Amino acid sequence: MAKGNDQRVLAQNKKAGHDYFIEETIEAGIVLQGTEIKSIRNGKVQLRDAFIRIRNNEAWISNMHVSPYEQGNRFNHDPLRARKLLLHKKQINQLVGKTKEEGFSIIPLKMYVKNGYAKVLIGVAKGKKKYDKREDLKKKEHKREMERAFKAKQQY
């Protein structure tokens, strides 16, 4: 595959926007083994239950499911293994500082291929309470009703 200025979203954590307030986002590279990149390019990756931990001044993504490559044989990988994220030390220190505050987590938001390399968009997020989620649903429903009314008025 030729390297270009493409940016194709392969996986997205849609539940993150519902469960968290996203405060800040950072793009990170990811260390992959063998056939993992082929499987990721085919879109066989899930970020739903994934989370990021900082261990020994390194960022690791855990619980991200990358399906084994179909044409791979004994060189396939473990689907749920922890994978290292490539970040600068300054970025890792910022993440550590944010997560020491009460209620902040680091979660993956998107996975995409940029210039031939797999990238993960990670977010520093604060968990929503149940009433916050209900409020967001009310706002979305109200916005939909307004758009429907506007569209109906446009047709006449």
Side-chain angles (χ1 to χ4, degrees):
M1 185 172 181
K3 291 184 183 179
N5 287 333
D6 63 335
Q7 186 170 337
R8 214 169 34 127
V9 176
L10 303 169
Q12 194 166 8
N13 191 353
K14 293 179 183 176
K15 198 154 173 70
H18 180 70
D19 290 341
Y20 297 97
F21 292 113
I22 309 300
E23 302 288 326
E24 182 182 341
T25 59
I26 299 173
E27 182 182 75
I30 186 167
V31 177
L32 300 171
Q33 289 181 348
T35 57
E36 284 179 324
I37 187 64
K38 293 181 180 188
S39 187
I40 288 172
R41 283 189 178 137
N42 288 339
K44 309 272 181 158
V45 61
Q46 284 186 346
L47 297 173
R48 188 178 306 129
D49 297 325
F51 58 94
I52 295 165
R53 280 194 183 143
I54 308 292
R55 287 184 287 186
N56 300 331
N57 290 328
E58 294 177 340
W60 294 83
I61 186 166
S62 300
N63 228 16
M64 179 178 76
H65 187 274
V66 178
S67 297
Y69 186 57
E70 294 162 359
Q71 281 78 33
N73 48 21
R74 61 190 173 116
F75 300 112
N76 270 334
H77 56 278
D78 177 28
L80 289 173
R81 76 176 184 87
R83 293 164 180 90
K84 185 177 176 182
L85 294 177
L86 302 172
L87 292 166
H88 294 283
K89 188 176 260 188
K90 185 177 179 182
Q91 290 173 324
I92 291 173
N93 290 337
Q94 286 176 343
L95 291 175
V96 168
K98 282 281 192 179
T99 55
K100 293 221 177 182
E101 294 179 33
E102 187 67 29
F104 280 96
S105 303
I106 310 170
I107 54 169
L109 303 174
K110 288 183 191 176
M111 179 169 234
Y112 51 91
V113 173
K114 183 177 178 184
N115 297 330
Y117 296 105
K119 301 283 184 180
V120 178
L121 185 69
I122 60 176
V124 177
K126 188 169 183 130
K128 287 185 181 177
K129 305 284 187 214
K130 201 169 198 174
Y131 56 84
D132 290 328
K133 293 178 188 179
R134 283 193 220 119
E135 189 66 33
D136 282 350
L137 289 174
K138 286 179 189 175
K139 285 180 185 177
K140 283 182 186 179
E141 187 61 35
H142 183 68
K143 186 178 176 185
R144 280 190 201 124
E145 288 175 12
M146 286 178 48
E147 287 176 357
R148 284 185 198 131
F150 183 72
K151 191 174 182 181
K153 194 167 187 150
Q154 288 280 336
Q155 290 178 349
Y156 294 110

